[in-house]
């Protein structure tokens, strides 16, 4: 019987993505757990800042599968065919499933629900009741374990290069999302020569190493990552709405834990009631439509701060952002004095529940740094550092040693950024407070 | 995790000098495992045991902020190794901070882990690395024998390797 032609998907980033029609990968794509990713925004609430950023997790997932296919084709040409063929099924399945555990609005709901999407991805793969598990089991009785190991950051069963291809400082996941998020947000910062990067690496001592010829493409990638974090992922308007959602959820959880009626929709009530024993089925029922219905419901809640936050969110009535002054003590990063002053301003402004109207946002320093070159040679691996090798040299070196332009960005990391979000009605008052703030001597 | 916590580890180091970023990583991982809540860094496992980008970033941030003095020193096995000392400004700041209410509270929290930290600062680096790796595996199944076996496989050493045996003993002290 003649093989069917590959199934072709149109994609705005790669034009075409093809998946073999005879293969199980297409069956995996059609499972309800994978299709659920169509209903998860790739960039959470970034579309409140960038109206075009409405793309979903599934389109990113297909992009990752596409890049993984290309990376494996490249490796097959230059490495032993057998090794790569063995790795093909688990790597393609892991590419398809690495984000399957994401909750509503992607990373945004991790603090709200107290979850880690990777943990849920692994649970979904391992749960015999999911279609994902059934498809994998049909291919090979142990494939699901191999896939779960690849997704699970705690697992060490795989050769380093396999894990690094999926999750490291230069992997197919990042290569897709930087360019895709750039395209859909319209921000236009995520450009780099991904084709060269995907076609210029090898496996060296079990780890990924790039040819020195691709160093400028990698430099471009690192700068693209920096610009995307500064302009899109950490945009202050987006972060403000994220903090607002988190505050809403904290408020509701406090009501729920205090045995008050939090007005929960059934799926959420069930999930919170189950606590750490929540099942995969209970988790997967919490979708973005569940969350939006919940927020809509809260607009009429008897708890005033909760109802007010819910209305503000739906009406895109954003809080103002104000950068914190230098902390009083560099060693402890203490903002106690500044926070007390803000709390006083909020209370005087007529907001009784300070916790709902003075929202602290601390962006860890690592998110301001697009790439970490681990300094000591014996700490360097594909997961820790990007390494390149000149054609005439057997020894790979960390990339910033051959790219001086990277050093200002990697050797002097930006400090953590601390910002506070408050109701716009307090703008003049807090701006005055900030302008007149004197550091403690 | 605040700069204060990292500063305390360096202050407790022999002669006030902590040698090797690897040691810093593993000590923080082991103290975190022992229940030191101040260390809330995320760790992943890589070739040389548990590694945290949070710790690496905080170290570099303190160097660029003038709190730590960094020195690159040659090392036979791995090219170069970095050592860290507190700057004079950091020493003064530390003393002043610990005289205040918040500082006194944070110092008391850290003091409970002082002896453990000092022990790790003096211990053989390879053993510290193995111990951290053993704990990493132990936390997956709560089984010491399994953790030691996995560490041996992961580090490509024999299960009866004397350094691994000593590391296992060390790890047992730090598992919470």
């Amino acid at each position: 019987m003649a093989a069917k032609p590959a199934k072709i998907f149109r994609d705005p980033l790669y034009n075409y993505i093809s998946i073999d029609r005879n293969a199980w990968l297409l069956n995996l794509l059609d499972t309800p757990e994978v299709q659920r990713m169509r209903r998860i925004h790739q960039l959470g609430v970034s579309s409140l800042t960038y109206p075009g950023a409405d793309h979903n997790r599934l389109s990113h997932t297909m992009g990752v599968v596409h890049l993984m296919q290309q990376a494996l084709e490249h490796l097959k040409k230059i490495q032993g065919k057998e090794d790569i063929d063995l790795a093909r099924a688990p790597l393609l399945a892991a590419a398809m499933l690495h984000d399957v555990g994401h909750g509503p609005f992607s990373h945004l709901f991790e603090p709200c629900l107290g979850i880690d999407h990777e943990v849920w991805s692994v649970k979904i793969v391992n749960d015999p009741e999911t279609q994902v598990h059934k498809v994998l089991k049909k291919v090979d009785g142990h494939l699901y374990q191999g896939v779960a190991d690849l997704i699970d950051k705690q697992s060490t069963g795989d050769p380093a290069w396999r894990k690094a291809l999926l999750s490291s400082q230069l992997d197919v996941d990042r290569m897709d999302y930087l360019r895709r998020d750039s395209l859909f947000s319209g921000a236009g910062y995520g450009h780099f020569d991904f084709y060269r990067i995907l076609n210029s690496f090898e496996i060296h001592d079990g780890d990924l190493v790039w040819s020195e010829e691709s160093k400028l493409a990698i430099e471009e990638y690192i700068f693209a990552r920096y610009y995307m974090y500064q302009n899109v992922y950490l945009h202050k308007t987006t972060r403000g709405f994220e903090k607002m959602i988190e505050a809403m959820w904290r408020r509701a959880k406090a009501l729920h834990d205090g045995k008050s009626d939090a007005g929960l929709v059934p799926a959420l009530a069930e999930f919170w009631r189950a606590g750490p024993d929540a099942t995969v089925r209970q988790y997967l029922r919490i979708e973005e439509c569940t969350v939006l219905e919940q927020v809509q419901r809260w607009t009429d809640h008897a708890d005033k701060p909760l109802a007010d936050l819910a209305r503000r969110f739906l009406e895109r009535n954003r809080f103002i952002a104000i950068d914190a002054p230098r902390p009083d003590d560099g060693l402890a990063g203490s903002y106690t004095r500044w926070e007390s002053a803000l709390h006083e301003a909020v209370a005087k402004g007529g907001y009784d529940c300070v916790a709902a109207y003075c929202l602290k946002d601390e962006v860890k320093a690592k998110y301001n740094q697009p790439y970490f070159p681990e300094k000591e040679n014996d700490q360097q691996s594909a997961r820790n550092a990007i390494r390149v090798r000149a054609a005439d040299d057997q020894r790979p070196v960390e990339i910033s040693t051959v790219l001086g332009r990277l050093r200002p960005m990697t050797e002097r990391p930006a400090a953590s950024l601390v910002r506070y979000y408050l109701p716009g009605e307090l703008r003049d008052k807090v701006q005055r407070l900030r302008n007149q703030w004197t550091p403690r001597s | 995790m605040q700069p204060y916590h990292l500063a305390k580890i360096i202050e407790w180091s022999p002669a006030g000098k902590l040698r090797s970023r690897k040691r810093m990583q593993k000590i923080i991982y082991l103290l975190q495992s022992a229940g030191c809540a101040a260390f809330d860094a995320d760790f992943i496992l890589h070739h040389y045991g548990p590694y945290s980008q949070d710790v690496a970033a905080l170290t570099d941030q303190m160097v660029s902020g003038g709190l730590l003095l960094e020195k690159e020193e040659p090392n036979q096995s791995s090219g170069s190794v970095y050592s860290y000392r507190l700057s004079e400004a950091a020493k003064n700041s530390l003393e002043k901070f610990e005289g205040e209410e918040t500082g006194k509270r944070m110092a008391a929290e850290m003091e409970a882990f002082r002896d453990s930290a000092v022990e790790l600062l003096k211990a053989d680096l390879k053993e510290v690395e193995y111990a951290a790796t053993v704990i990493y595996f132990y936390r997956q199944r709560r089984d010491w024998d399994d953790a030691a076996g996995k560490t041996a496989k992961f580090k490509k050493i024999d299960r009866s390797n004397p350094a691994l045996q000593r590391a296992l003993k060390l790890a047992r002290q730090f598992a919470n």
Side-chain angles (χ1 to χ4, degrees):
Chain A
M1 195 174 69
K4 289 181 189 171
K7 171 89 178 166
I8 306 285
F9 298 88
R10 292 305 293 255
D11 179 80
L13 201 54
Y14 308 110
N15 201 8
Y16 292 109
I17 290 177
S18 70
I19 296 180
D20 187 350
R21 269 186 205 272
N22 292 313
W24 48 271
L25 202 55
L26 215 47
N27 298 336
L28 203 56
L29 176 64
D30 285 336
T31 57
E33 295 86 11
V34 172
Q35 288 298 314
R36 171 181 168 274
M37 288 193 280
R38 280 185 196 279
R39 303 186 293 277
I40 297 174
H41 277 84
Q42 165 76 4
L43 286 185
V45 291
S46 282
S47 60
L48 291 171
T49 308
Y50 292 97
D54 256 332
H55 53 306
N56 61 54
R57 279 277 148 196
L58 188 71
S59 64
H60 159 63
T61 290
M62 291 182 69
V64 175
V65 171
H66 175 68
L67 295 185
M68 186 64 89
Q69 288 184 141
Q70 291 199 350
L72 292 172
E73 284 309 308
H74 162 71
L75 281 176
K76 213 165 155 178
K77 284 180 208 154
I78 60 162
Q79 307 280 156
K81 188 174 174 293
E82 204 173 307
D83 272 1
I84 308 306
D85 281 343
L86 266 177
R88 189 175 173 82
L91 276 172
L92 288 178
M96 180 79 84
L97 300 172
H98 75 286
D99 275 348
V100 77
H102 260 297
F105 298 103
S106 296
H107 295 282
L108 170 54
F109 262 74
E110 298 198 355
C112 297
L113 297 175
I115 57 155
D116 175 338
H117 78 272
E118 267 160 18
V119 171
W120 281 100
S121 291
V122 171
K123 282 186 183 176
I124 291 165
V125 169
N126 284 333
D127 187 338
E129 297 301 315
T130 63
Q131 288 302 313
V132 155
H133 181 92
K134 287 173 185 166
V135 169
L136 294 175
K137 196 129 194 212
K138 213 168 164 183
V139 180
D140 164 353
H142 299 290
L143 180 57
Y144 75 92
Q145 288 165 336
V147 174
D149 282 350
L150 275 168
I151 297 172
D152 185 359
K153 283 205 170 75
Q154 313 292 321
S155 156
T156 53
D158 289 289
W161 70 267
R162 290 194 193 181
K163 290 206 99 147
L165 210 47
L166 189 69
S167 175
S168 64
Q169 292 217 65
L170 181 51
D171 59 36
V172 289
D173 183 22
R174 290 181 182 194
M175 272 194 266
D176 181 80
Y177 75 62
L178 286 175
R179 296 181 65 242
R180 189 171 297 276
D181 297 344
S182 169
L183 175 70
F184 280 90
S185 64
Y189 290 108
H191 298 295
F192 55 91
D193 187 351
F194 79 99
Y195 189 83
R196 177 172 281 275
I197 294 175
L198 270 181
N199 286 282
S200 56
F201 70 98
E202 61 178 317
I203 301 168
H204 177 83
D205 284 345
D207 229 336
L208 299 183
V209 174
W210 271 262
S211 143
E212 199 184 353
E213 288 167 357
S214 59
K215 67 181 181 183
L216 294 180
I218 297 172
E219 180 186 64
E220 217 184 355
Y221 156 85
I222 291 169
F223 275 91
R225 188 167 153 77
Y226 177 73
Y227 295 138
M228 283 300 286
Y229 266 87
Q230 295 302 308
N231 291 290
V232 179
Y233 305 135
L234 302 177
H235 193 285
K236 68 177 178 184
T237 303
T238 308
R239 295 286 292 185
F241 282 113
E242 289 173 5
K243 294 292 131 188
M244 194 183 273
I245 282 263
E246 283 176 29
M248 220 184 294
W249 244 255
R250 269 200 309 274
R251 185 81 188 161
K253 190 80 167 75
L255 290 173
H256 180 260
D257 292 347
K259 310 290 176 209
S260 299
D261 180 13
L264 298 179
V265 296
L268 200 62
E270 200 184 326
F271 186 75
W272 272 355
R273 216 173 17 246
D277 300 325
T279 62
V280 165
R281 190 191 59 79
Q282 286 170 324
Y283 176 68
L284 291 175
R285 281 189 63 207
I286 303 172
E287 298 220 25
E288 286 188 3
C289 55
T290 322
V291 166
L292 290 174
E293 186 195 345
Q294 182 65 75
V295 175
Q296 185 67 257
R297 202 184 261 210
W298 280 336
T299 58
D300 291 327
H301 199 278
D303 183 80
K304 281 186 181 171
L306 183 59
D308 183 45
L309 289 173
R311 279 194 292 270
R312 284 175 188 261
F313 179 77
L314 291 179
E315 292 165 11
R316 198 184 175 277
N317 180 3
R318 63 186 189 271
F319 278 8
I320 54 151
I322 186 144
D323 290 350
R326 203 162 50 86
D328 283 336
D329 193 295
L331 281 176
S334 166
Y335 293 94
T336 315
R337 234 173 22 104
W338 170 244
E339 274 181 20
S340 302
L342 283 183
H343 288 179
E344 198 183 321
V346 169
K348 277 187 182 164
Y351 299 93
D352 294 339
C353 178
V354 170
Y357 291 101
C358 180
L359 311 177
K360 185 180 182 183
D361 182 25
E362 186 164 10
V363 177
K364 282 186 173 179
K366 66 179 176 182
Y367 294 116
N368 282 317
Q369 194 173 341
Y371 167 64
F372 286 82
E374 182 46 75
K375 289 181 167 176
E376 289 175 9
N377 291 346
D378 66 4
Q379 291 274 335
Q380 290 173 7
S381 69
R383 293 182 76 176
N384 275 15
I386 301 171
R387 297 183 307 159
V388 293
R389 192 160 74 130
D392 55 350
D393 194 349
Q394 288 303 303
R395 195 174 57 89
V397 293
E398 189 280 311
I399 192 162
S400 69
T401 60
V402 292
L403 273 177
R405 279 188 298 272
L406 282 180
R407 285 187 208 138
M409 201 187 288
T410 54
E411 287 185 357
R412 295 187 64 80
S416 306
L417 175 66
V418 177
R419 207 176 253 156
Y420 289 81
Y421 288 92
L422 304 105
E425 299 86 316
L426 299 173
R427 181 190 299 270
D428 293 344
K429 205 178 218 178
V430 293
Q431 197 56 61
R432 227 175 9 253
L433 187 67
R434 178 70 180 81
N435 292 343
Q436 292 165 359
W437 190 257
T438 45
R440 202 174 53 177
S441 58
Chain B
M1 185 174 171
Q2 298 290 346
Y4 172 77
H5 302 114
L6 198 55
K8 286 304 283 183
I9 300 292
I10 291 165
E11 188 192 49
W12 291 336
S13 302
K17 175 176 139 182
L18 192 152
R19 193 165 187 269
S20 160
R21 288 167 73 94
K22 191 201 281 186
R23 185 183 292 274
M24 188 185 296
Q25 290 271 349
K26 308 313 172 215
I27 288 178
I28 289 168
Y29 181 76
L30 286 163
L31 293 180
Q32 191 170 309
S33 304
C36 185
F39 296 146
D40 56 354
D42 295 329
F43 281 86
I44 56 161
L45 187 66
H46 87 96
H47 297 347
Y48 304 96
Y51 170 87
S52 169
Q53 218 170 56
D54 294 328
V55 174
L58 182 62
T59 309
D60 293 341
Q61 197 183 315
M62 287 174 72
V63 171
S64 72
L67 293 170
L68 293 185
L69 304 174
E70 181 183 72
K71 195 175 170 196
E72 187 178 358
E73 297 169 1
N75 176 276
Q76 273 191 332
S77 63
S78 59
S80 59
V81 67
Y82 288 76
S83 68
Y84 297 91
R85 288 177 184 277
L86 291 178
S87 66
E88 282 308 309
K91 284 179 191 166
N92 294 337
S93 186
L94 200 60
E95 194 182 338
K96 193 175 157 206
F97 179 64
E98 289 186 335
E100 296 166 5
E101 198 182 325
T102 317
K104 278 180 187 163
R105 182 179 48 78
M106 286 169 78
E109 284 164 9
M110 286 295 287
E111 193 57 31
F113 295 93
R114 184 189 187 122
D115 291 347
S116 303
V118 169
E119 183 182 353
L120 293 171
L121 284 159
K122 288 180 187 161
D124 177 80
L125 180 56
K126 187 60 84 186
E127 285 171 29
V128 173
E129 178 193 330
Y130 288 173
T133 311
V134 167
I135 289 198
Y136 194 92
F137 288 121
Y138 174 74
R139 291 169 89 173
Q140 291 175 352
R141 292 218 175 151
R142 317 293 293 178
D143 179 336
W144 287 114
D145 198 48
D146 176 71
K150 280 182 176 164
T151 304
K153 193 175 164 201
F154 183 68
K155 299 302 303 179
K156 297 186 178 67
I157 53 173
D158 199 88
R159 173 72 177 78
S160 59
N161 183 304
L164 178 59
Q165 297 313 310
R166 289 192 292 272
L168 182 59
K169 206 172 153 193
L170 192 61
R172 282 174 180 272
Q173 287 174 238
F174 286 88
N176 194 2

